[in-house]
Amino acid sequence: MRKVAVIGVGMTKFGLLFERDLSSMAVEAGSLAINDAGIEKKDVEVLYGGTMSGGLFSNQEHTGSLLADRMGLNVPSVRVEAACASGGLALRQGYIDIASGMHDIAVVGGVEKMTDTLNTTKVLATAADVEREAVFGATFPGLYAMMAKLHMHRYGTTEVQMADVSVKNHANAVHNKSAHFQKEISVDDVMRSQKIADPLKILDASPISDGAAALVLASEEKARELCDTPVWIAGSGHATDTISLHDREDITTLKATVAAAKQAYGQAHLTSKDIDVAEVHDCFTIAELMAIEDLGFVKKGASGKFTSEGNTKVGGKIPINPSGGLKAKGHPIGASGVAQAIEAVLQLRGDAGKRNTGAHTALTHNVGGSGGTAIVHIFKR
Amino acid sequence: MAIPRIWRQIEEKYNLVGTLCKDCKKKHFPPREVCSCGCYDLEKYRFLGKGEIVTYTVIRISSEDNEDTPFRNIPYVLAIVRLDEGPSLTAQIVQCSESELMIGKKVEMVFRKLLEKGEKGVIQYGYKFRIA
Ligand SMILES: CC(C)(COP(=O)(O)OP(=O)(O)OC[C@H]1O[C@@H](n2cnc3c(N)ncnc32)[C@H](O)[C@@H]1OP(=O)(O)O)[C@@H](O)C(=O)NCCC(=O)NCCS
Ligand SMILES: [Zn+2]
């Protein structure tokens, strides 16, 4: 396999973008990434686009063709779907493509237009097992709430510890102009916010956002020719687990995360101790706590205390979600996995402004559904 | 939802019919085509409908589309129930007060209305659970 680098990044602002549609956001992100790479559109040989459901959110499928058309590119274009991990998986498929030698330059992106429907909660529930979970009344907040309940019961994790995740991620997003929210919140705000599914409250949840994000990937030869600051993909992992939460032996751990991380660490010849900064899938605060355990940054059950002690802040032992995470940067489903990679690249280039951590090695972690898919990438400068 | 889709799930959703692997004797719910041991030789198996709560939540915000139940009937209790025979499932817990809810609590299956699509839509029935 060949080495692959990220040579360009671009994203729209995340948020309630009522004036934008699916393709206009994707074109903006893609064009920004191409500009950032200093290449021309005609240099792009293939597109990979992650999106969960053009069909259910905006009545539009066949987004592979649509986005290539709107970009003005008649190249092979692949739509990739793995629910909330669609973006991370698009990155991985683009990586595999370039690594294999099939193409030299790819644009990989992710996009979601979530605010064109009133049925967001129902559409999101299709990422669960529809016939075995959703028809019985399972919602995404509900599934993560059930994980939180058992995590609290078993390990003594508290609602305040979960709130600390949200407070930290909102504080980080204040320095991120692309974020959905640029507003600090307090533990009290979280504790007083409306309950969605006990013990989770609105301020434990990622918001419903529109947005797109894109990267330009290049083979080693092209990257060295075109770019002074390539960021290398050192490891890539992808694992699946049962789609239904109830079929798992232990619902306080995502086995897919553990497995994907093992692959990525193995390929990069690194361990969790070598990671300087991570963007993890915090669709709900409990998900960030479980992620830092499953990725090996802290032992099982210790994430709440570790977070409340400030170890995951920028400047702490292992900064988690300096971008603001899904919680505060926003969670346009298909775009999130790609936006995580953008933050990793900005961190490694030292281009993250006040969020800079001076990292040499960064990890991204993207989850589909309640853990049916997990994608982990490791980046090095 | 199209009627055949509801009809073909009647055994599973009304009567908790799953499968039993003739090879390794593992019981599955919902029914499977192939066992995790690799065996395709499975027979129908009806679960008794008794189990315990593994974890639960009270759903308080749901879809903005308030045409459909259960979403119309918030708040409602959602749980993962482990059946005495082994497999687990996701279901609502009914006829209980929040103070009765506990991890480990014994529950039993009841037959209830699951989904109702507006005034004219087809009504779908299936399992829910109550405190035993
Ligand atoms: C929690 C949730 C139901 C709230 O949606 P809602 O009740 O429709 O909220 P509204 O749009 O009415 O917003 C009300 C206010 O709360 C704010 N808000 C909504 N969701 C928020 C969130 N998650 N975090 C912070 N603030 C939020 C809005 O900005 C708005 O503020 P304003 O009045 O100052 O403008 C929704 O954000 C949600 O479903 N999140 C989870 C998404 C999800 O499951 N993603 C997939 C994960 S795998
Ligand atoms: Zn078997």
Side-chain angles (χ1 to χ4, degrees):
Chain A
M1 287 213 308
R2 305 192 298 174
K3 275 179 79 173
V4 178
V6 182
I7 63 166
V9 300
M11 66 186 281
T12 65
K13 185 181 160 45
F14 284 3
L16 306 175
L17 311 179
F18 295 113
E19 68 288 0
R20 308 294 303 275
D21 67 11
L22 185 87
S23 51
S24 82
M25 294 189 297
V27 170
E28 180 186 334
S31 307
L32 287 170
I34 288 169
N35 268 340
D36 184 52
I39 59 169
E40 299 195 27
K41 222 169 59 179
K42 64 170 172 42
D43 301 324
V44 176
E45 296 166 63
V46 62
L47 299 174
Y48 287 86
T51 183
M52 173 179 160
S53 190
L56 294 174
F57 284 123
S58 334
N59 265 312
Q60 175 70 61
E61 301 290 13
H62 204 184
T63 52
S65 165
L66 178 83
L67 300 184
D69 171 6
R70 298 298 195 264
M71 283 292 291
L73 280 168
N74 293 106
V75 295
S77 175
V78 184
R79 180 250 182 108
V80 179
E81 192 275 318
C84 325
S86 299
L89 187 56
L91 165 57
R92 179 172 156 88
Q93 296 310 119
Y95 165 73
I96 291 171
D97 182 325
I98 307 283
S100 77
M102 184 65 102
H103 297 102
D104 284 313
I105 296 185
V107 170
V108 302
V111 58
E112 211 75 55
K113 177 69 201 172
M114 298 179 75
T115 59
D116 273 353
T117 173
L118 290 177
N119 264 324
T120 329
T121 306
K122 242 172 91 178
V123 175
L124 290 172
T126 64
D129 188 332
V130 170
E131 291 293 356
R132 276 77 196 226
E133 296 182 305
V135 296
F136 294 98
T139 59
F140 258 93
L143 292 171
Y144 277 92
M146 291 198 289
M147 298 185 211
K149 193 77 156 187
L150 194 58
H151 205 278
M152 293 167 78
H153 177 81
R154 192 174 290 168
Y155 301 113
T157 305
T158 66
E159 291 185 46
V160 169
Q161 290 171 342
M162 291 191 261
D164 283 331
V165 171
S166 188
V167 170
K168 165 184 67 78
N169 290 353
H170 270 265
N172 289 346
V174 167
H175 306 295
N176 186 351
K177 285 201 171 55
S178 311
H180 186 145
F181 299 116
Q182 284 177 274
K183 187 176 119 194
E184 292 216 37
I185 57 167
S186 67
V187 169
D188 260 8
D189 293 333
V190 182
M191 296 302 282
R192 280 200 307 261
S193 64
Q194 195 190 341
K195 285 184 172 176
I196 326 174
D198 306 2
L200 301 179
K201 297 164 279 295
I202 284 203
L203 291 181
D204 285 300
S206 55
I208 285 161
S209 325
D210 300 322
L215 310 168
V216 178
L217 302 186
S219 60
E220 179 170 15
E221 190 190 343
K222 285 282 179 192
R224 295 205 191 278
E225 174 191 325
L226 294 165
C227 183
D228 297 329
T229 52
V231 167
W232 302 99
I233 300 179
S236 174
H238 174 194
T240 60
D241 194 0
T242 66
I243 184 164
S244 292
L245 182 63
H246 60 236
D247 278 333
R248 314 217 182 116
E249 256 157 65
D250 179 1
I251 65 161
T252 60
T253 186
L254 298 190
K255 232 168 68 186
T257 295
V258 176
K262 196 171 166 214
Q263 293 168 28
Y265 287 138
Q267 186 187 351
H269 304 293
L270 296 172
T271 72
S272 57
K273 293 195 180 58
D274 302 311
I275 304 299
D276 301 321
V277 62
E279 286 278 309
V280 309
H281 197 88
D282 59 327
C283 52
F284 298 93
T285 49
I286 184 63
E288 175 168 322
L289 294 183
M290 288 170 52
I292 63 175
E293 297 170 353
D294 293 339
L295 293 166
F297 299 135
V298 56
K299 73 175 198 306
K300 198 77 220 165
S303 58
K305 183 158 175 281
F306 188 74
T307 300
S308 293
E309 288 169 354
N311 294 310
T312 57
K313 291 181 177 168
V314 172
K317 268 188 200 149
I318 168 88
I320 302 289
N321 286 327
S323 72
L326 279 46
K327 173 67 206 77
K329 183 177 54 195
H331 185 22
I333 306 295
S336 284
V338 178
Q340 292 177 324
I342 292 181
E343 181 69 11
V345 169
L346 296 179
Q347 289 288 343
L348 295 176
R349 285 185 190 165
D351 285 342
K354 285 199 172 141
R355 312 192 304 280
N356 270 333
T357 57
H360 292 259
T361 307
L363 178 147
T364 60
H365 162 251
N366 193 198
V367 174
S370 64
T373 295
I375 313 283
V376 173
H377 282 100
I378 296 172
F379 302 86
K380 284 174 86 162
R381 64 182 184 203
Chain B
M1 207 181 292
I3 289 169
R5 184 166 174 182
I6 295 175
W7 166 78
R8 65 173 180 260
Q9 295 174 13
I10 282 181
E11 278 200 308
E12 171 189 333
K13 292 211 167 90
Y14 289 18
N15 296 324
L16 282 182
V17 174
T19 44
L20 170 72
C21 173
K22 287 194 184 163
D23 217 357
C24 77
K25 306 293 177 220
K26 188 172 172 177
K27 294 160 190 158
H28 323 102
F29 188 84
R32 290 198 173 256
E33 273 77 40
V34 54
C35 180
S36 52
C37 76
C39 174
Y40 279 82
D41 195 7
L42 311 180
E43 65 184 18
K44 283 185 185 172
Y45 182 88
R46 183 168 178 175
F47 290 83
L48 285 177
K50 297 201 182 302
E52 66 172 48
I53 295 178
V54 175
T55 181
Y56 66 92
T57 179
V58 183
I59 308 254
R60 298 181 192 278
I61 295 190
S62 202
S63 220
E64 295 84 340
D65 171 6
N66 49 16
E67 275 245 292
D68 297 11
T69 56
F71 308 118
R72 193 169 48 182
N73 299 335
I74 49 170
Y76 57 91
V77 179
L78 186 76
I80 291 181
V81 171
R82 179 166 298 127
L83 299 172
D84 289 345
E85 296 92 335
S88 299
L89 50 75
T90 297
Q92 290 181 42
I93 310 290
V94 293
Q95 294 171 255
C96 71
S97 66
E98 272 178 48
S99 59
E100 290 177 278
L101 283 169
M102 240 174 35
I103 289 174
K105 196 94 176 171
K106 298 281 181 208
V107 290
E108 63 189 16
M109 181 201 154
V110 290
F111 182 71
R112 289 289 182 277
K113 199 186 274 181
L114 281 187
L115 282 170
E116 207 177 351
K117 181 90 184 158
E119 295 259 293
K120 298 197 188 87
V122 179
I123 297 176
Q124 192 177 354
Y125 294 90
Y127 52 83
K128 293 186 182 178
F129 282 74
R130 70 175 171 213
I131 309 286

